[in-house]
Amino acid sequence: MSITKIAKDLGVHPSTVSRALSGKPGVSEDLRNKIIQYAEKIGYYPDARASSLRKKGKTGTLGIIIPDIGNPFFATVIKAIEDVLYSHNYNFFLCVSDEDPEKEIFHLKSLISHRVDGIIAAPTLDNKTKNFYSKLYSSKKTIVFFDRFFPTLDIPSIVTNNEQGIKKLINHIYKMGHKTLGIISLSPESITGKIRLETALNYAKKLKITVQPEWIQGFDSTEESGYLSMKKILKQKRRPSVVLILNDLTSLGALRAISELKANVPEEISLVAFDDTYWNQIFNPPITCVKQDPKEMGILAAKNLINILNKKNVLKKQILLDTKLIIRQSVKKLI
Amino acid sequence: MSITKIAKDLGVHPSTVSRALSGKPGVSEDLRNKIIQYAEKIGYYPDARASSLRKKGKTGTLGIIIPDIGNPFFATVIKAIEDVLYSHNYNFFLCVSDEDPEKEIFHLKSLISHRVDGIIAAPTLDNKTKNFYSKLYSSKKTIVFFDRFFPTLDIPSIVTNNEQGIKKLINHIYKMGHKTLGIISLSPESITGKIRLETALNYAKKLKITVQPEWIQGFDSTEESGYLSMKKILKQKRRPSVVLILNDLTSLGALRAISELKANVPEEISLVAFDDTYWNQIFNPPITCVKQDPKEMGILAAKNLINILNKKNVLKKQILLDTKLIIRQSVKKLI
DNA sequence: CTGAAAGCGCTAACAC
DNA sequence: GTGTTAGCGCTTTCAG
């Protein structure tokens, strides 16, 4: 199944076959058709490796790195990226980092070995990964970050305005009269979680909303952590009037805990969440939240990468996406 | 950044560099170390294309084809596959078919061009795709199907026992005393949907459960379809006592319709669903359902493929996975 | 232990 | 129009 074999079988030269199959001029229509038909008949598909190797050009492949496909947020981003890439004829390797710097670097090396044209990544924020991305970038590899980025690296990125989102939520509960706040946080390694938590604490302080240390729970960005954290908060004798949950999977767990303990929302406890996923609308009552736009994030990341590859101008290096407050019925009006 | 460049810089022969870097014997330790250090210093990563081209061996890459990453079921399968592949050092191209035969065939061709070692696919069931897979398989490509398969093709597959799952659900509602049943079905192209629907209809008939034609709704496998279908059923003056929903995304939509219309489950209407995803547990009341095992499906698909690639024996060609009935509180007891 | 030469499958530049 | 030649980056003989 190679151009050489076809050439031999048809008694012509390999270069003629190459020209015929790749639509280049310089072959008579008769011969071209004969070659194309024969190639189809024997089920020939050109070897992309050999072709890209010889052309010294692009491979038409990209690498995408995400921490977790199980998270609907990332699944949605990937879906949007896929859409753009397909319409531009790119294939991509999907790499899962599990937030593990070693695993991420392993994948990066392998992507480089496969000579991908570019990399779209939600990077694990760690010194090792930072150094590696930095090296790659200075050796002219095309990289676009989404969801997270390294503040000290000048690599294009598409990130949600997390501070804005948190402030919108806290403003809302403030207006509803809440003065005590609990928080279900994320993995301590998550920069996203760190930013959201810090913004929440600072802004709550500014508005004189009390956050007792024992009201801050969460050890991880998983459903399990959300579940256990919410249970811990609910079992305290002095509870906050409202709990802020910092992402989608943890809020799923928190909601499960609430269902299980049959806590009444918003009468006994109010709830607000970062991220608007599937379940926020069908919970009883529907959850007030701040919505990121993972679809837009994916589209922008992919388009930016492609623009850079095509040497087109990229308008902004760092894109900050707005969040949207969606008011539902999970916050009790106290005033 | 090539072996030749390293060889030139160090004044040795490319073949020596190759031996040194790939851990082959026949290089003095001193020279080997010198070469390895130099390679690291200049950030050299071997060209996987050139290497696999020359070795005439495997590329270490696979292709995965799914209809939709937005669907949590497939996201979970992918996650499991990724886990197995990573531990066996395989990279993979992720391809999304959108249930479009043309798109799927386009992706298949591109996977072949990239000379993937094997393909794991939840195929779109269509004559065109069937013929294409059939051709690929007879030309010795390694393929494993999951979630769906072509009954007339002898290609290994890992599929859920859909009939069993539906029967478990219908048995349950029968025991609870229900005599009238509505169904929210899937896309007419979905073989999974077809099997589930037919089994439900036949088995209901057998148990003398009535299914009026206007109680069968659904035009698609999406959230939207589930939402609109449930609304249609709820608005009828003569309604079934229980509604069976045939997958996860449609049940999400159905639950949204129920929340919106404030229908009381299970007092006004009972619910059972195929698939146990995130939201079944946090809905009020929690949804009785039958659970597939997407994780197991992914693990088996990946392991089977790897076994075949390693010429190990595959125990069973067609694996049928059991379903599990999870009884919660969405079905009213009528007797 | 190291070097030389050949070739994986393909394409681009150059002949005729 | 078609053939010839060279070489992308790598590995694998075979020499020395």
Side-chain angles (χ1 to χ4, degrees), chain B residues 239-258:
Chain B
R239 304 198 297 209
S241 64
V242 56
V243 176
L244 162 65
I245 313 164
L246 293 189
N247 86 347
D248 47 8
L249 276 185
T250 50
S251 77
L252 175 66
L255 294 181
R256 183 159 66 90
I258 287 190

Side-chain angles (χ1 to χ4, degrees), chain A residues 105-234:
Chain A
I105 289 175
F106 176 86
H107 274 135
L108 285 170
K109 288 181 181 169
S110 133
L111 290 176
I112 302 300
S113 269
H114 285 293
R115 298 298 187 259
V116 294
D117 297 338
I119 294 171
I120 302 178
T124 301
L125 299 181
D126 176 275
N127 256 323
K128 272 175 279 179
T129 50
K130 189 181 95 179
N131 291 335
F132 202 86
Y133 279 111
S134 172
K135 255 195 293 178
L136 290 186
Y137 196 64
S138 42
S139 69
K140 305 289 171 216
K141 297 281 180 292
T142 309
I143 303 170
V144 170
F145 288 139
F146 69 94
D147 188 53
R148 309 93 172 267
F149 71 108
F150 298 95
T152 55
L153 299 186
D154 186 37
I155 299 177
S157 64
I158 327 284
V159 176
T160 294
N161 192 335
N162 286 295
E163 287 92 343
Q164 184 208 55
I166 290 291
K167 285 182 182 171
K168 283 183 179 177
L169 284 176
I170 297 202
N171 267 334
H172 177 68
I173 60 171
Y174 180 76
K175 278 189 213 154
M176 298 289 273
H178 290 262
K179 295 288 173 205
T180 53
L181 171 68
I183 301 177
I184 295 182
S185 67
L186 306 180
S187 150
E189 275 93 47
S190 156
I191 181 96
T192 312
K194 217 177 283 175
I195 293 174
R196 292 180 193 168
L197 179 59
E198 279 173 14
T199 309
L201 291 176
N202 290 334
Y203 201 61
K205 199 172 182 182
K206 201 172 153 193
L207 297 181
K208 302 213 189 318
I209 296 175
T210 307
V211 185
Q212 301 278 14
E214 67 270 23
W215 294 343
I216 307 175
Q217 295 288 341
F219 50 89
D220 209 347
S221 308
T222 58
E223 201 265 358
E224 187 66 9
S225 167
Y227 173 77
L228 294 173
S229 304
M230 184 54 94
K231 272 197 158 173
K232 274 191 197 157
I233 291 177
L234 288 176

Side-chain angles (χ1 to χ4, degrees), chain B residues 60-290:
Chain B
T61 61
L62 301 176
I64 300 183
I65 297 188
I66 51 164
D68 178 18
I69 342 168
N71 186 320
F73 174 80
F74 288 112
T76 311
V77 178
I78 300 285
K79 190 173 172 154
I81 294 179
E82 190 276 335
D83 223 58
V84 177
L85 296 191
Y86 177 66
S87 71
H88 286 80
N89 246 305
Y90 279 101
N91 284 98
F92 63 90
F93 290 101
L94 183 69
C95 303
V96 177
S97 69
D98 285 329
E99 307 275 12
D100 173 354
E102 309 290 349
K103 192 173 174 189
E104 183 153 335
I105 290 175
F106 175 86
H107 274 136
L108 285 169
K109 288 181 181 170
S110 133
L111 290 175
I112 303 300
S113 268
H114 285 292
R115 299 298 188 258
V116 294
D117 297 338
I119 293 171
I120 302 178
T124 301
L125 299 182
D126 176 275
N127 256 323
K128 273 175 278 179
T129 50
K130 189 181 96 181
N131 291 336
F132 202 87
Y133 279 111
S134 173
K135 256 194 293 178
L136 289 186
Y137 197 63
S138 42
S139 69
K140 303 290 170 217
K141 297 280 180 293
T142 309
I143 302 171
V144 170
F145 288 139
F146 70 94
D147 188 51
R148 309 91 174 268
F149 70 109
F150 298 94
T152 54
L153 300 186
D154 186 38
I155 299 177
S157 64
I158 327 284
V159 176
T160 295
N161 192 336
N162 286 295
E163 287 91 342
Q164 183 208 55
I166 291 291
K167 286 181 181 170
K168 283 183 178 177
L169 284 176
I170 297 201
N171 267 333
H172 177 67
I173 60 172
Y174 180 76
K175 277 190 213 153
M176 299 289 273
H178 290 262
K179 294 288 172 205
T180 53
L181 172 67
I183 301 177
I184 295 182
S185 66
L186 307 181
S187 151
E189 276 91 48
S190 156
I191 181 96
T192 313
K194 216 177 285 174
I195 293 173
R196 291 179 193 168
L197 180 59
E198 279 173 15
T199 309
L201 291 176
N202 290 335
Y203 201 61
K205 197 171 182 182
K206 200 173 154 193
L207 297 181
K208 303 216 188 316
I209 295 175
T210 307
V211 185
Q212 301 278 11
E214 67 270 23
W215 294 343
I216 306 174
Q217 295 288 341
F219 49 89
D220 209 347
S221 307
T222 57
E223 201 265 358
E224 187 66 9
S225 167
Y227 173 77
L228 295 173
S229 304
M230 182 55 93
K231 272 196 158 173
K232 274 192 197 154
I233 291 178
L234 288 176
K235 281 180 179 162
Q236 292 173 20
K237 31 189 190 297
R238 268 200 67 222
R239 304 198 297 209
S241 64
V242 56
V243 176
L244 162 65
I245 313 164
L246 293 189
N247 86 347
D248 47 8
L249 276 185
T250 50
S251 77
L252 175 66
L255 294 181
R256 183 159 66 90
I258 287 190
S259 299
E260 203 177 298
L261 298 181
K262 300 198 189 311
N264 189 341
V265 178
E267 284 312 313
E268 289 175 56
I269 192 138
S270 292
L271 247 45
V272 288
F274 209 103
D275 282 335
D276 187 30
T277 335
Y278 309 125
W279 44 80
N280 280 351
Q281 278 190 73
I282 61 164
F283 191 77
N284 184 14
I287 304 299
T288 291
C289 65
V290 101

Side-chain angles (χ1 to χ4, degrees), chain A residues 13 15-16 19 26 28 31 53-54 56:
Chain A
H13 198 270
S15 58
T16 309
R19 276 189 286 257
S28 69
L31 183 52
L53 191 59
R54 174 62 238 242
K56 288 216 65 95

Side-chain angles (χ1 to χ4, degrees), chain A residues 84-116:
Chain A
V84 177
L85 296 192
Y86 176 66
S87 70
H88 286 80
N89 246 304
Y90 279 101
N91 285 99
F92 63 90
F93 291 101
L94 184 68
C95 303
V96 177
S97 69
D98 284 329
E99 306 274 12
D100 173 355
E102 309 290 349
K103 193 173 174 189
E104 184 154 335
I105 289 175
F106 176 86
H107 274 135
L108 285 170
K109 288 181 181 169
S110 133
L111 290 176
I112 302 300
S113 269
H114 285 293
R115 298 298 187 259
V116 294

Side-chain angles (χ1 to χ4, degrees), chain B residues 13 15-16 19 26-28 31 54 56:
Chain B
H13 197 269
S15 58
T16 308
R19 277 189 286 255
V27 196
S28 69
L31 183 53
R54 174 61 237 241
K56 286 215 67 93

